Amino acid sequence: MSDELKAAAIQVADKAYDESRPAIEPLVQTFANVFKMTAFVTGLPAATIGSLPSAYAASLRAFQKLRDAIPEPNRQPPKESIVYSLVQTIPAADEATEAQELFAQLLASASDDRSVSRVHPSFASIIAELSPVDARIIATWKRCSDNVRRSPIDFYHLGRQQPAGDVSVSLENLSRLGLLYSEVDLSMSPPKWVITRFGRQFVDCCCPPQTEGG
């Protein structure tokens, strides 16, 4: 190949790289974050929270405490698919404490051989679609049996300063996500809400233990 052709080929390659760079860089950064988070959750000494973007800090600090509570023989590296899903969804999720606690608990469940089999790949993306009120409502099932039927009134206090109508919206969103369903009965007003089997699995894997009054 002549020098002229080599120079032309280099110019074409440089142009192609410059044009594709905006699309490539986020992908490279995502995989870098997956590697860093995997290193962190598996306890490598060189991996620190500071090595990851600040969006992950709250969840990883909460995870540290949960990981320490897992008996050493039961600890295991989480599946790469779960870590990848978390890397993608945590920055897009609500920054409220509720969401960060759910992410931390999910990561802990994925790192524990006693619970990892119940971790569904969609859980991370579901957390990203929860509002703080959604998260508070679904977390209350941590202390409830599967056959409990609950009224929207039971959750009004979880809306705190928000209108009661927001609780209804949250219940509908939890239903849309497959975590709850409503039982419509003419003898019951308002309708009662029940957790699904998928919802129970989500609660078991993602919701922190509830304290009295929580």
Side-chain angles (χ1 to χ4, degrees), residues 79-100:
K79 292 181 180 178
E80 291 181 1
S81 59
I82 298 297
V83 175
Y84 182 76
S85 182
L86 286 166
V87 165
Q88 287 187 304
T89 53
I90 288 178
D94 195 298
E95 294 181 0
T97 302
E98 290 85 354
Q100 304 310 317

Side-chain angles (χ1 to χ4, degrees), residues 30-45:
T30 295
F31 281 109
N33 288 337
V34 169
F35 175 79
K36 291 175 183 177
M37 184 177 285
T38 301
F40 175 80
V41 300
T42 53
L44 293 181

Side-chain angles (χ1 to χ4, degrees), residues 164-182:
D166 286 358
V167 169
S168 296
V169 171
S170 288
L171 289 169
E172 290 176 12
N173 188 44
L174 292 169
S175 175
R176 178 185 68 85
L177 294 169
L179 305 180
L180 301 179
Y181 70 92
S182 62

